[in-house]
Amino acid sequence: MAQFKDWVSLEQGCDLPDYQALWAWSVDELEEFWAAVGRFFAVEGIAADAPVLASAEMPGATWFPGASVSFAREVFRQADPSRPALVHVSETGAAQTWSWERLLRETHAVASWLRVAGVGPSDRVVGYLGNRPEALTCLLACAAVGATWAVCNQDVSAEGAAVRFAQLEPTVLLTATRSRYGGRELQHGPAIEALVDALPSLTHVLLVGTDAAELGRPTVSWADALATPVTGPLCVDVPFEHPLWVLFSSGTTGAPKGLVHGHGGTLLQQLAALGLHFDVQPGDRFFWFCSTSWVMWNLQVSSLLLGATAVLYDGSPTFPDASAVWRVAAAHRVTHLGVSPGLLALAEKQGHVPAVDHDLSALRVLGVTGAPLPATTARWARTGFGVPLNVISGGTDVATAFVGASPLLPEPAPGRMGPPWLGVAARTVDDRGEPVLGEVGELVITKPMP
């Protein structure tokens, strides 16, 4: 972030000595800030003189009208044969490393198969799958052809997945009949059968693994999809607001609601979140323990935009004990680790000292979100990991944070949140809508975000 601050100061000809000044500029000059993010990270498809905010209405803001971008293209611009694109770790500890060349090759093949299957812009593809490389690859393939992606982890029931996916009328389902969790081999055949029956719009079922016979219905294997002849360019350009993925609310207050995220807004928000607030650099290793149903999985995928290696873990965080995640982080030299407060509280209760029990010397940042982090657990984590905490609060609806830490500021005191993030016009108001400080109120965002 320091480099960005200095670059903006020079480019804008203004004095931005600290984070507070940079944040104030980012919300006072909202259009200049988001245009600067695009230029700083060299996003293709956004012209230097392009209009930024055609309408600032909330809801209904229109960003970068006329711009054409591609999330997948921005990912593959970071391809570097000297480092892996991703590492997949199973619950057994077995690890599989994917090169950028493999990720590009498999994405291009799956994108070609999708095109042959008639999938293109405006079509929807869904995944009922755990945190596996194939889910990430299919997301990128969908982005490449302009299709829209949505995914649920297989701990969601078939009924729960159907309630979500039926809203999208998908044409393709990606899934697997088996997974492993908590030391047990799980069979998903009956759930998949029920899910397919509940989605009459499906034309194809794309199956990871070799268990097609278990479904008793026609499927296409991942291997067959990879055998599709590759023709033409990988990526098509789409309008800035073209749907990239749909995330779903939890469903605790009614039917799960689909939240649509566009290519361009996702690119800018993720670059700002990861590249500025988490200081992710090419060659870093980014591991956020999460399932594919959680928005943090999308954040993990987006670490590829910065040239980082995404570390995917598919399994229980407490099998065979509560050190499972720390072992993965140590074994794969993770630089950015993200977890929930609950996992930290469990490790604290069990008396773990992660930085002593494991070699976490590569770790630079510990990210935390998903629930309030008690001050006592925050103190334990700061000592137990020996690195700064970036405790963030945001939402599935924006796929980023509203508030959290900044590399330009001291770490907030345990039990406290950091300031609003760049480009986030956040404040607290009372029940009359008047700004308040130092007392309970409602968090509101007063200007649009991409």
Side-chain angles (χ1 to χ4, degrees):
M1 184 179 288
Q3 184 182 1
F4 177 76
K5 176 177 72 69
D6 295 343
W7 177 83
V8 167
S9 297
L10 183 63
E11 186 192 58
Q12 297 290 319
C14 56
D15 183 24
L16 301 173
D18 53 24
Y19 182 80
Q20 185 62 31
L22 181 61
W23 174 80
W25 172 80
S26 76
V27 295
D28 290 342
E29 306 296 339
L30 197 66
E31 295 186 53
E32 286 79 359
F33 168 71
W34 286 111
V37 170
R39 291 195 300 275
F40 184 76
F41 291 104
V43 175
E44 292 186 0
I46 301 178
D49 58 350
V52 177
L53 192 54
S55 169
E57 283 190 68
M58 296 174 65
T62 302
W63 291 90
F64 293 93
S68 296
V69 296
S70 168
F71 181 88
R73 184 179 63 219
E74 293 301 317
V75 164
F76 286 113
R77 285 180 54 220
Q78 305 302 320
D80 185 338
S82 69
R83 56 179 183 259
L86 61 90
V87 176
H88 175 242
V89 186
S90 76
E91 199 177 64
T92 65
Q96 185 183 40
T97 299
W98 281 39
S99 66
W100 276 99
E101 186 277 332
R102 178 178 180 181
L103 181 60
L104 175 60
R105 172 168 40 86
E106 297 209 7
T107 299
H108 206 161
V110 175
S112 298
W113 177 80
L114 288 172
R115 289 182 170 116
V116 170
V119 175
S122 80
D123 290 314
R124 278 79 62 200
V125 174
V126 295
Y128 187 53
L129 197 65
N131 195 1
R132 300 173 57 146
E134 293 86 355
L136 187 155
T137 302
C138 200
L139 182 161
L140 292 176
C142 289
V145 304
T148 304
W149 166 260
V151 63
C152 283
N153 198 59
Q154 288 179 298
D155 59 357
V156 176
S157 69
E159 180 182 12
V163 167
R164 291 162 171 80
F165 293 157
Q167 302 176 49
L168 308 181
E169 298 182 347
T171 56
V172 174
L173 169 68
L174 171 71
T175 190
T177 59
R178 301 182 186 186
S179 68
R180 179 184 175 89
Y181 192 88
R184 297 170 53 226
E185 294 289 338
L186 305 178
Q187 306 291 330
H188 302 290
I192 295 170
E193 291 272 11
L195 178 57
V196 172
D197 288 341
L199 300 174
S201 58
L202 289 176
T203 58
H204 295 83
V205 176
L206 181 58
L207 195 63
V208 175
T210 58
D211 303 320
E214 295 183 7
L215 285 185
R217 65 177 69 226
T219 62
V220 177
S221 73
W222 187 260
D224 286 343
L226 295 185
T228 305
V230 171
T231 58
L234 171 61
C235 299
V236 297
D237 288 331
V238 294
F240 186 90
E241 294 187 345
H242 186 81
L244 169 63
W245 57 50
V246 178
L247 307 179
F248 290 94
S249 64
S250 62
T252 54
T253 58
K257 291 169 279 293
L259 304 159
V260 184
H261 296 254
H263 278 244
T266 297
L267 280 169
L268 295 184
Q269 292 282 181
Q270 298 295 315
L271 289 169
L274 297 170
L276 301 181
H277 284 275
F278 275 95
D279 191 32
V280 176
Q281 303 289 330
D284 284 344
R285 295 200 165 201
F286 192 94
F287 169 33
W288 204 292
F289 174 75
C290 56
S291 80
T292 51
S293 298
W294 193 19
V295 62
M296 301 314 293
W297 183 79
N298 301 75
L299 197 82
Q300 182 171 248
V301 170
S302 296
S303 67
L304 298 174
L305 292 167
L306 281 305
T309 297
V311 178
L312 313 178
Y313 177 66
D314 190 22
S316 168
T318 58
F319 181 83
D321 55 49
S323 290
V325 170
W326 328 138
R327 279 194 294 271
V328 172
H332 299 284
R333 306 292 294 164
V334 167
T335 59
H336 295 73
L337 174 62
V339 293
S340 69
L343 184 58
L344 293 179
L346 177 62
E348 177 191 16
K349 181 179 179 180
Q350 294 183 352
H352 294 275
V353 185
V356 173
D357 302 337
H358 308 278
D359 179 8
L360 298 178
S361 56
L363 191 64
R364 299 204 313 271
V365 178
L366 179 67
V368 187
T369 196
L373 177 66
T376 54
T377 303
R379 293 189 192 96
W380 168 86
R382 185 64 177 85
T383 301
F385 287 88
V387 298
L389 274 61
N390 193 339
V391 185
I392 62 174
S393 180
T396 305
D397 41 2
V398 289
T400 187
F402 299 125
V403 295
S406 163
L408 298 180
L409 292 172
E411 187 178 340
R416 303 293 292 248
M417 294 299 300
W421 271 14
L422 297 179
V424 181
R427 64 172 58 176
T428 309
V429 301
D430 61 19
D431 55 9
R432 300 183 306 278
E434 297 298 322
V436 294
L437 289 173
E439 59 185 271
V440 174
E442 297 289 343
L443 174 66
V444 299
I445 310 301
T446 61
K447 294 184 179 181
M449 298 164 63

